Amino acid sequence: MANPGRCGNRRKRAPAGGDPCGFYCGRGGQRVQVKVSAVEVNTPEEMFVENGTDAKLPCTFTSVEVISSAASVSWSFQPEGAATRISFFYYSNGKSYPGKDIPFKDRITWAGDLNKKDASITISNMQFRDNGTYICDVKNPPDIVVKPGEIRVRVVEKDLHAGFPCVVGHLHKRITMILEETLNSQSFSSSEECCNNCLQVLRKTVKAGFQAVDAMLSCIPAFT
């Protein structure tokens, strides 16, 4: 005798306009909708990490269900320019299962807490080959993931980060100087004239932005 709580082979697609998070079962000529709630995964879109440092990849989630021992987290990696993903970490029931034959061997540490709805991990000694997209997938039955979280990670030189303050400082001084020269040297007889002068200031500001590139090259040791 068939289990009345299961659809078995009578499962059908939801009709047009139906709930995309459910399905329908033919039962005695009737259609019954079974609702399935979803886990929502949240990650930053992009991260910049200095090479040789440890990077915590943040991943949090929401679920209407109580976190149980059946909850699990899986992380995968899609290298820059690659079409396929590599599964490299799995966590469930308080235990971590890092992959063995992967680029991240012995570099992955669980940094989350499922009870706090945190599925983050830490990767030590980030390298340029680690550039790519990291995918965080969380399951908390009966909740399922609608869309995993994805983080695009950029590994950069340490010296590049060190040069940013110099670039920003140079650009700030240059823009300030342009504004002061323009606004102090002229008086505006109408709002239209003021707007025209504002446009000129913006054009000069854009030019200053390009000039900041030269400043950046002189500030970063790798380019000198």
Side-chain angles (χ1 to χ4, degrees):
M1 181 176 179
N3 186 341
R6 298 180 62 86
C7 295
N9 295 327
R10 294 173 293 171
R11 181 180 299 179
K12 298 180 180 180
R13 288 182 178 273
D19 187 349
C21 295
F23 57 83
Y24 288 75
C25 308
R27 181 184 300 164
Q30 298 180 350
R31 284 180 172 177
V32 179
Q33 185 177 21
V34 180
K35 289 186 177 290
V36 180
S37 54
V39 174
E40 293 186 6
V41 180
N42 302 294
T43 57
E45 293 183 1
E46 190 171 43
M47 284 180 58
F48 289 88
V49 181
E50 293 181 345
N51 69 304
T53 64
D54 298 347
K56 181 178 180 180
L57 305 186
C59 176
T60 58
F61 64 94
T62 59
S63 174
V64 298
E65 298 292 330
V66 175
I67 307 300
S68 68
S69 59
S72 64
V73 177
S74 60
W75 279 85
S76 55
F77 171 63
Q78 185 171 345
E80 196 75 31
T84 58
R85 297 178 176 180
I86 303 169
S87 295
F88 66 88
F89 182 84
Y90 182 80
Y91 181 90
S92 180
N93 201 19
K95 295 183 179 180
S96 301
Y97 302 92
K100 296 181 180 180
D101 300 324
I102 54 169
F104 309 106
K105 184 179 180 181
D106 300 326
R107 293 199 289 142
I108 309 297
T109 304
W110 171 250
D113 184 340
L114 291 186
N115 291 325
K116 296 181 180 179
K117 298 180 180 179
D118 186 349
S120 306
I121 59 172
T122 297
I123 303 178
S124 63
N125 192 25
M126 292 291 288
Q127 302 296 314
F128 294 114
R129 64 174 179 269
D130 299 332
N131 278 313
T133 302
Y134 292 77
I135 301 94
C136 176
D137 193 353
V138 182
K139 289 181 172 59
N140 183 40
D143 279 7
I144 59 174
V145 172
V146 172
K147 183 180 180 181
E150 297 186 0
I151 310 174
R152 193 171 187 180
V153 175
R154 305 290 193 185
V155 182
V156 299
E157 286 279 5
K158 290 183 179 180
D159 290 339
L160 183 60
H161 268 198
F164 283 165
C166 177
V167 176
V168 173
H170 175 85
L171 186 57
H172 178 266
K173 291 179 180 179
R174 179 60 179 162
I175 292 175
T176 300
M177 182 180 68
I178 291 174
L179 290 172
E180 289 180 348
E181 289 178 352
T182 303
L183 298 177
N184 292 335
S185 62
Q186 299 181 30
S187 59
F188 308 119
S189 59
S190 65
S191 58
E192 181 178 357
E193 182 181 357
C194 180
C195 288
N196 290 333
N197 277 274
C198 287
L199 289 176
Q200 293 178 12
V201 172
L202 287 175
R203 292 192 186 98
K204 291 183 179 181
T205 303
V206 171
K207 182 178 180 181
F210 285 107
Q211 292 174 339
V213 174
D214 292 333
M216 179 178 66
L217 297 181
S218 65
C219 288
I220 301 175
F223 291 93
T224 56

